[in-house]
Amino acid sequence: MAHFNLENELTNALRFDAPLSRGPVPRWQRKALENSFANMSVNTSGNDSTLINMSLNKSASLKVPSSPKKTLEEWNKRITPGRGGSGSKSPRDQGDRFIPHRSSMHFDLGHYLLTKSKSEENLSPNSSHFKRTMSENILGEDISNFRILAYKNKAPQAPSGHSNVLKILYSSTKNPGSTKKATRHIPQTSDRILDAPEILDDYYLNLIDWSSTNILAVALHGSLYLWNGSTGDIQMLTEMPDQNDYISSVSWLPGGSILAVGTSSAEVQLWDASAEKRIRTMRSHVSRIPSLSWNSYILSSGSRTGAIHHHDVRNENHHVGTLAGHTQEICGLRWSLDGRYLASGGNDNLVNIWTSDAGIGQSEASPLHTFNEHQAAVKALAWCPWQQNVLASGGGTADRHIRFWNCSLGSSLNAIDAKSQVCAILWSKEYKELISGHGFANNELIIWKYPSMTKVCELTGHKARVLNLALSPDGTTVVSAGADETLRLWNCFASDPKKKKVATGQTKRSDMLKHTIR
């Protein structure tokens, strides 16, 4: 029968319209009773105190005691008991006070929760579960999680179009050029530093290139050095005979050991690096050659006059074509990976896109597309390895923008303000990212996520502007040539271990399949 008693007690305790059976009398009820009996005309006998005590004991009921008409009127006017009576003389007691709306405050439930005995709190698990179940059946919810103050009226909604300035300031994401937290570890310092004394601080020259055989070619004024990335050995390949002449560009033949060298004396030299021997010298330009690019057996060279010459290295008459689409020096020249397009950037702020047969066997040739959105010289050019019709270009100090072009359609895809001079751009082979080398003011390298163009990482260390960038044959290391006469190697595109495991597993399965077929 104990659980029936507990059910009855809970029912009586949780009835909101029933009088309280426990706890002290609230202060405002005592004041009301005192003032009411003070105004009543009763005999001052011993029975008065008895009557008052009996009334106080019965004050748990919320009935309003009988009082004179004046007291009832004050009660109806919601005057606080004990304030403004006939016996009150102070200014504090002469006025009324604000009584808040208490319809949303469960005083009975709050009083029960505050005054319940500790024995009820330390119930056994079965009793506690039974009590919670009964509470949910009676009230529809568990009273142990019930709040004493229940604010039913929610805050109004903000008007349409309203924006919280502080929320935007402190919680919103940064602009598209902000640094994004890297999902992989990228070393913030260079992996290795090599000295490059007397490297020319000339924005228009292309002085380094990394071959597929892991040989880095570096032009230091009139000398050409080769650094072996596997062994670390350094050797000097050649030196200009005249001290006033210098090497203005270098470019390796893809997949071979042939190195093309452009000079300030308007010569294009071909060197066999493995034999340390010059193969031939080609002359067709009349001024220095700051840019070179290979497309199979065709070597394209850009000169200071703005002319681009095609050289067929197989023939004795090597000069097979000319492109005349620029009016000033050609500082950027890149063939696409599939050999369909040639991109050229000049000091005239133009980017021209040429087809593979343009200028070959033709007296006049015009570019397929011409982009003139840059506001400074365009040296940085790079073709996307997974979208071979997408070209990235970077402008000089007056422009500072990296722009992306769809060369099949001749349209602009995107542009981002890099905040500094763009000297070089390289695409990653491992990730959908690209790295750019910059001059004033931070002299840094920036890794960008493509196509969102959010900054993945900023690599600093050079004390002067970054002149050129080159990518290692395995695609993991970037070398930067700075005007501070240093070469810095950055291990910023390390292979993803997960992808490496998957590729290794696929290779093993294919090998097993081959053995099974045999």
Side-chain angles (χ1 to χ4, degrees):
M1 298 297 291
H3 63 280
F4 292 109
N5 294 333
L6 178 60
E7 180 179 356
N8 294 331
E9 291 181 4
L10 283 175
T11 305
N12 294 331
L14 300 178
R15 289 180 58 189
F16 295 126
D17 57 347
L20 293 175
S21 61
R22 296 184 184 180
V25 180
R27 179 176 176 275
W28 66 274
Q29 292 185 11
R30 293 202 309 270
K31 289 291 185 179
L33 291 174
E34 291 175 1
N35 292 336
S36 298
F37 284 102
N39 295 329
M40 293 176 62
S41 299
V42 297
N43 296 326
T44 59
S45 61
N47 296 330
D48 294 342
S49 60
T50 303
L51 179 60
I52 292 174
N53 292 333
M54 292 174 62
S55 299
L56 288 174
N57 292 333
K58 296 180 179 179
S59 62
S61 64
L62 300 179
K63 296 180 180 180
V64 180
S66 59
S67 59
K69 182 178 181 180
K70 181 179 179 181
T71 305
L72 292 176
E73 291 176 355
E74 292 177 353
W75 181 272
N76 294 331
K77 291 180 181 179
R78 302 181 64 85
I79 298 178
T80 303
R83 301 285 176 89
S86 60
S88 300
K89 299 299 182 181
S90 64
R92 178 183 176 185
D93 297 335
Q94 291 179 0
D96 191 10
R97 68 181 178 87
F98 172 71
I99 300 177
H101 180 64
R102 294 185 172 92
S103 62
S104 62
M105 300 181 183
H106 302 278
F107 284 103
D108 293 344
L109 179 58
H111 182 268
Y112 167 74
L113 294 175
L114 293 174
T115 59
K116 64 181 180 179
S117 63
K118 293 185 178 180
S119 60
E120 296 177 355
E121 297 177 358
N122 300 326
L123 294 174
S124 63
N126 293 333
S127 300
S128 177
H129 177 70
F130 174 76
K131 182 178 178 180
R132 184 169 60 253
T133 304
M134 292 300 297
S135 175
E136 293 176 354
N137 292 334
I138 296 173
L139 297 177
E141 55 185 325
D142 185 8
I143 63 172
S144 62
N145 297 327
F146 202 89
R147 296 182 179 181
I148 297 176
L149 300 179
Y151 297 99
K152 297 179 180 179
N153 298 326
K154 303 297 181 181
Q157 295 292 334
S160 59
H162 172 75
S163 61
N164 189 338
V165 179
L166 295 179
K167 183 177 180 181
I168 295 175
L169 179 62
Y170 291 105
S171 63
S172 62
T173 57
K174 297 181 180 179
N175 55 28
S178 62
T179 303
K180 182 181 179 180
K181 185 178 180 181
T183 57
R184 68 183 190 280
H185 173 67
I186 301 176
Q188 297 296 304
T189 57
S190 55
D191 188 58
R192 191 168 183 177
I193 300 177
L194 304 176
D195 291 330
E198 297 185 1
I199 191 170
L200 294 176
D201 184 10
D202 192 330
Y203 174 80
Y204 301 97
L205 306 184
N206 294 271
L207 303 177
I208 63 172
D209 195 22
W210 209 330
S211 72
S212 59
T213 57
N214 204 16
I215 304 296
L216 177 65
V218 182
L220 303 179
H221 197 268
S223 303
L224 180 61
Y225 291 87
L226 302 179
W227 178 76
N228 192 318
S230 302
T231 62
D233 296 335
I234 300 175
Q235 66 178 19
M236 187 176 71
L237 183 62
T238 184
E239 188 175 10
M240 299 296 292
D242 191 342
Q243 294 183 355
N244 295 326
D245 291 338
Y246 55 88
I247 297 174
S248 54
S249 58
V250 292
S251 179
W252 287 99
L253 174 67
S257 60
I258 305 300
L259 178 64
V261 179
T263 67
S264 60
S265 57
E267 292 181 349
V268 178
Q269 302 177 3
L270 297 182
W271 286 81
D272 186 348
S274 59
E276 300 182 23
K277 180 182 179 181
R278 184 172 63 182
I279 301 175
R280 67 183 301 183
T281 299
M282 298 180 291
R283 297 179 178 90
S284 60
H285 292 286
V286 295
S287 61
R288 73 175 185 179
I289 303 170
S291 57
L292 295 168
S293 183
W294 287 91
N295 182 21
S296 185
Y297 52 85
I298 297 295
L299 175 63
S300 300
S301 60
S303 71
R304 196 169 196 170
T305 61
I308 301 174
H309 289 181
H310 293 315
H311 308 273
D312 189 341
V313 298
R314 303 170 301 174
N315 301 332
E316 181 179 358
N317 298 324
H318 56 85
H319 185 197
V320 295
T322 301
L323 302 176
H326 293 273
T327 58
Q328 297 186 38
E329 186 168 15
I330 307 297
C331 49
L333 200 62
R334 288 290 183 275
W335 277 99
S336 62
L337 300 179
D338 56 5
R340 295 174 56 194
Y341 303 111
L342 173 66
S344 61
N347 194 34
D348 53 3
N349 309 343
L350 297 179
V351 176
N352 286 330
I353 306 299
W354 310 84
T355 58
S356 58
D357 57 349
I360 298 179
Q362 304 175 11
S363 58
E364 294 183 1
S366 57
L368 178 65
H369 302 294
T370 298
F371 306 123
N372 56 5
E373 279 79 355
H374 284 289
Q375 303 301 315
V378 183
K379 175 188 177 183
L381 295 172
W383 292 92
C384 179
W386 60 87
Q387 289 180 306
Q388 297 186 1
N389 62 330
V390 174
L391 174 71
S393 62
T397 306
D399 181 71
R400 305 182 306 276
H401 278 72
I402 299 175
R403 300 181 183 274
F404 299 90
W405 315 95
N406 185 331
C407 296
S408 298
L409 303 177
S411 60
S412 174
L413 298 176
N414 192 10
I416 186 73
D417 189 355
K419 307 296 183 182
S420 58
Q421 179 188 45
V422 184
C423 302
I425 296 175
L426 290 176
W427 291 87
S428 171
K429 298 178 181 178
E430 182 72 16
Y431 308 94
K432 288 193 174 181
E433 298 172 353
L434 65 153
I435 185 171
S436 56
H438 299 273
F440 181 81
N442 296 326
N443 304 320
E444 62 183 354
L445 286 78
I446 301 177
I447 300 177
W448 306 84
K449 192 71 176 179
Y450 184 82
S452 62
M453 290 305 291
T454 54
K455 289 182 182 179
V456 177
C457 184
E458 297 180 359
L459 304 176
T460 58
H462 282 287
K463 305 302 180 182
R465 64 178 174 179
V466 179
L467 297 172
N468 300 106
L469 297 177
L471 188 65
S472 63
D474 60 359
T476 62
T477 304
V478 173
V479 60
S480 58
D484 56 356
E485 298 186 345
T486 62
L487 299 176
R488 295 176 182 264
L489 282 75
W490 311 85
N491 188 21
C492 53
F493 294 131
S495 300
D496 190 351
K498 296 181 180 178
K499 293 182 179 179
K500 192 173 183 181
K501 289 181 181 179
V502 172
T504 305
Q506 292 177 352
T507 304
K508 290 182 179 179
R509 286 194 297 269
S510 62
D511 293 341
M512 293 174 61
L513 189 60
K514 289 180 181 179
H515 291 300
T516 304
I517 294 174
R518 290 179 182 176

